[in-house]
Amino acid sequence: MRLGTRPDGTPYPEGDPYVDGCPTRHILDRIGDRWTVLVVGVLSGGTARFSELRRRVEGISQKMLTQTLRELERDGLVTRTVHAEVPVRVEYALTDAGRTLTGPLKALEEWSVQHLSGVLAARETYDDRRTA
Amino acid sequence: MRLGTRPDGTPYPEGDPYVDGCPTRHILDRIGDRWTVLVVGVLSGGTARFSELRRRVEGISQKMLTQTLRELERDGLVTRTVHAEVPVRVEYALTDAGRTLTGPLKALEEWSVQHLSGVLAARETYDDRRTA
DNA sequence: CGGCATCCTTCCAGATACTG
DNA sequence: CAGTATCTGGAAGGATGCCG
């Protein structure tokens, strides 16, 4: 089936799905960044605290992790729980809505695992031809 | 199942999937931009020529469309066919590999259609609390 | 520990002009 | 029609310092 059509198969109001009102654009704005998918990926394995996420999402800066978590929290996909201890412990977890996202992301990841070598090979071929 | 594990369930060599070698990062680098998914979406409906893509992916600039198509071609996901006519006609189409990508993307789009309203509502609630 | 505020750099996307 | 080439502004993101 064609991407960008409603579940029932009808097109979006404007007659073409690739307009600003398209829901796909909204999620792309969310998962389109480097980190969101990776953070959700770690959280799909269960609750994690800030420093744990920072370690497991290799290469993420403190700033970006905070920003990513805030956005996810804002969108109702992640909960933030502060335990009033000393030192403070903050735990993050997926909400029910957040958990439903892991399915599609998993599908995407499986695709990448299966096709990465092919993509890299195609890339090399393409580059070789341009160099030669 | 946990994101970032191999299909058979074992972890990646480094012991944690969220490292630079992770295939997920590679596709994220590809589909992570604004346009790739939308272009693939249009092409999932069949062959299209340059100007047609430009019209249907609303808001894309000529530069970005060219760039996106080049990347997709380089990765072996899209073919570019030049018809030596006057004026020139260039047609783009998904390859077999490119078509396999539409499945996962479709899943993601369906998620967005189903959850967009909830996400927007959560966002409003979050913002209201911060304002108040 | 888990942040926020600030500065600073880099990179990318848009606008514009030109071409086979 | 389907591009290429170049310039430039703005935003994303890293580094650093401070705080409850």
Side-chain angles (χ1 to χ4, degrees):
Chain A
M1 185 195 283
R2 164 82 192 282
L3 282 169
T5 45
R6 288 202 178 105
D8 64 320
T10 60
Y12 284 100
E14 298 78 2
D16 196 293
Y18 297 96
V19 293
D20 286 335
C22 179
T24 308
R25 302 220 174 182
H26 281 275
I27 344 151
L28 285 178
D29 285 346
R30 177 101 345 280
I31 71 148
D33 67 286
R34 268 188 128 62
W35 306 114
T36 301
V37 170
L38 300 172
V39 169
V40 170
V42 170
L43 289 176
S44 72
T47 300
R49 47 195 299 189
F50 189 86
S51 51
E52 193 182 347
L53 286 166
R54 191 152 158 47
R55 275 200 316 277
R56 310 211 25 202
V57 182
E58 196 168 291
I60 196 170
S61 67
Q62 176 270 325
K63 179 184 174 181
M64 283 296 97
L65 179 54
T66 301
Q67 206 174 102
T68 302
L69 287 168
R70 285 295 167 283
E71 290 294 319
L72 285 168
E73 191 192 356
R74 184 166 104 106
D75 287 356
L77 302 175
V78 158
T79 58
R80 176 174 182 270
T81 312
V82 182
H83 298 269
E85 307 170 353
V86 179
V88 181
R89 190 174 92 243
V90 181
E91 294 197 315
Y92 292 90
L94 292 182
T95 63
D96 288 340
R99 264 185 291 278
T100 65
L101 183 54
T102 62
L105 292 185
K106 184 73 188 165
L108 209 55
E109 192 209 11
E110 276 164 9
W111 185 91
S112 71
V113 170
Q114 284 165 19
H115 292 84
L116 181 62
S117 60
V119 166
L120 293 179
R123 204 173 285 184
E124 213 167 324
T125 303
Y126 185 94
D127 291 346
D128 284 353
R129 252 189 315 194
R130 298 233 98 193
T131 309
Chain B
M1 184 195 283
R2 165 81 191 282
L3 282 170
T5 45
R6 288 200 177 106
D8 63 305
T10 60
Y12 285 99
E14 299 79 1
D16 195 294
Y18 297 96
V19 294
D20 287 333
C22 180
T24 308
R25 301 219 174 185
H26 282 274
I27 359 138
L28 286 177
D29 285 346
R30 178 105 341 279
I31 71 148
D33 68 285
R34 266 187 128 62
W35 305 115
T36 301
V37 171
L38 299 173
V39 169
V40 170
V42 171
L43 289 177
S44 72
T47 300
R49 46 194 299 187
F50 189 85
S51 51
E52 192 182 347
L53 286 167
R54 191 154 159 47
R55 275 198 317 276
R56 307 207 31 196
V57 182
E58 194 167 292
I60 195 171
S61 66
Q62 177 272 329
K63 178 184 172 182
M64 283 296 97
L65 179 54
T66 300
Q67 206 173 101
T68 302
L69 288 168
R70 286 292 169 283
E71 290 295 319
L72 285 168
E73 190 192 358
R74 184 167 104 106
D75 287 356
L77 302 174
V78 157
T79 58
R80 177 175 182 270
T81 312
V82 182
H83 298 270
E85 307 170 356
V86 179
V88 181
R89 190 174 90 244
V90 181
E91 293 197 316
Y92 292 91
L94 292 181
T95 62
D96 289 339
R99 264 185 291 277
T100 66
L101 183 56
T102 62
L105 292 185
K106 185 73 190 165
L108 210 55
E109 192 208 11
E110 275 164 9
W111 185 91
S112 72
V113 171
Q114 284 166 21
H115 292 83
L116 181 61
S117 60
V119 166
L120 293 180
R123 205 174 285 184
E124 212 167 325
T125 304
Y126 184 94
D127 291 347
D128 284 354
R129 253 188 315 195
R130 299 233 97 195
T131 309

